[in-house]
Amino acid sequence: SNQHLKYLDAGLYSNGFITDFIWEDLNTDNVFSTNESYLEGVRIEWKGVNFAGDSVKQVTYTDHTGRYYLNHIQPGSYSIKIVFPTGYELLIPITETWQMWSGQYISGQGISVFRRGKITGFVWSDINGNGIRNTDEPTLAGTQVVLTGSVYAGVVSIVMQTDISGIFEFSNLFPGRYT
């Protein structure tokens, strides 16, 4: 009693905060446009070890504006996992692990996702030249079909043959304009 402690160090911290939003990037330009939709209900799993060595975990979901919030994050090392709905892919990889500092506020520029598509059709001999397949007009097996297109990442050119029924299918296509 009646002692004075000199040079006592009491480290204080404040919790951090993370928020971002997720949307379907229809033209894959990584810029949110008014015709593009937010993804609601995407599961965000966040876990790590705080400065005291305690394991921590939070799970949240995106709201109707595609936004998620992770609150009350103590300084420490963390990772994030985003569980996208089936068929969606990240357009640009995100940092999955990071260090959270005292009072840090992280607000991203959005996380863009996309879905691949396919183009299917068939080739036939248009005997009467009306552009409509009639029952007496046969399909053409083994016909070369060329798909060219422009996607945000560049130009696409794919060549394939129709199957025995004259059908073709270009699948796993990146969003873009094709002819």
Side-chain angles (χ1 to χ4, degrees), residues 31-90:
V31 175
F32 181 76
S33 303
T34 56
N35 66 324
E36 295 173 330
S37 301
Y38 298 109
L39 285 180
E40 182 177 1
V42 176
R43 182 181 171 96
I44 312 297
E45 300 173 357
W46 165 84
K47 64 183 177 179
V49 178
N50 67 15
F51 69 96
D54 299 324
S55 292
V56 291
K57 182 178 181 179
Q58 250 188 73
V59 173
T60 191
Y61 294 86
T62 55
D63 64 17
H64 69 283
T65 66
R67 188 160 292 283
Y68 67 87
Y69 305 90
L70 297 168
N71 302 307
H72 310 295
I73 303 172
Q74 295 177 335
S77 297
Y78 299 98
S79 65
I80 191 167
K81 178 181 177 187
I82 302 174
V83 182
F84 295 107
T86 302
Y88 285 93
E89 298 178 42
L90 272 173

Side-chain angles (χ1 to χ4, degrees), residues 157-169:
S157 181
I158 306 169
V159 178
M160 72 174 319
Q161 304 289 328
T162 58
D163 68 11
I164 195 166
S165 300
I167 297 172
F168 64 88
E169 178 177 297

Side-chain angles (χ1 to χ4, degrees), residues 119-121 123 140-148 157-163 166-171 173:
I119 297 173
T120 62
V123 178
L140 300 175
T143 304
Q144 179 175 296
V145 180
V146 179
L147 178 70
T148 57
S157 181
I158 306 169
V159 178
M160 72 174 319
Q161 304 289 328
T162 58
D163 68 11
I167 297 172
F168 64 88
E169 178 177 297
F170 296 97
S171 57
L173 297 173

